[in-house]
Amino acid sequence: QVQLVESGGGLVQPGGSLTLSCATSGFTFQRVAMSWLRQAPGKEREAVLCISRHDTSTYYKDSLKGRFTISRDNAERTVNLQMNNLKPEDTARYYCATHIGGSCVSRNDNWGRGTQVTVSS
């Protein structure tokens, strides 16, 4: 079955950086788009970034451009989220998700359990 395991979260000071990683198994990784989503306390889960099967990135929040970068390694079956200049409002649980197709316009169909990112001084 599909397994998505996020790692790399933690406590970081404002302005700091973190790299999240999602290890995957159970599906043909190179054929599907992959996303990172996040959910802050008391808020709905929101899409952050997506990367298509052809390595095209889609930002769902303009405020993340220039700070967050998504990448994928088809050989390792991983998708990473590089987060720089972190702000307290980036505090959330971050989830990795598959798409049903190779494009970011396709819907999500599997999610991991998430990894917590806390930005605080």
Side-chain angles (χ1 to χ4, degrees), residues 3-112:
Q3 290 193 333
L4 306 172
V5 181
E6 302 92 338
S7 62
L11 174 63
V12 63
Q13 292 186 343
S17 298
L18 281 176
T19 300
L20 306 183
S21 186
C22 176
T24 74
S25 63
F27 62 101
T28 308
F29 180 82
Q30 63 266 32
R31 292 186 180 178
V32 303
M34 297 292 298
S35 276
W36 284 95
L37 302 91
R38 68 185 184 184
Q39 187 168 19
K43 296 187 177 181
E44 293 188 354
R45 191 174 299 186
E46 62 179 5
V48 173
L49 265 168
C50 175
I51 187 165
S52 74
R53 62 175 295 188
H54 298 299
D55 275 345
T56 300
S57 298
T58 299
Y59 286 84
Y60 294 105
K61 296 182 69 67
D62 286 343
S63 62
L64 302 182
K65 292 181 179 179
R67 298 196 299 124
F68 286 20
T69 305
I70 191 170
S71 62
R72 65 188 295 158
D73 186 328
N74 288 343
E76 295 293 328
R77 301 179 56 91
T78 57
V79 56
N80 289 342
L81 183 67
Q82 174 68 43
M83 306 185 294
N84 298 323
N85 191 21
L86 283 161
K87 303 178 180 181
E89 52 263 41
D90 295 319
T91 294
R93 191 163 187 85
Y94 285 72
Y95 299 86
C96 172
T98 61
H99 289 250
I100 62 171
S103 168
C104 291
V105 300
S106 60
R107 65 175 177 83
N108 297 127
D109 61 344
N110 294 284
W111 293 262

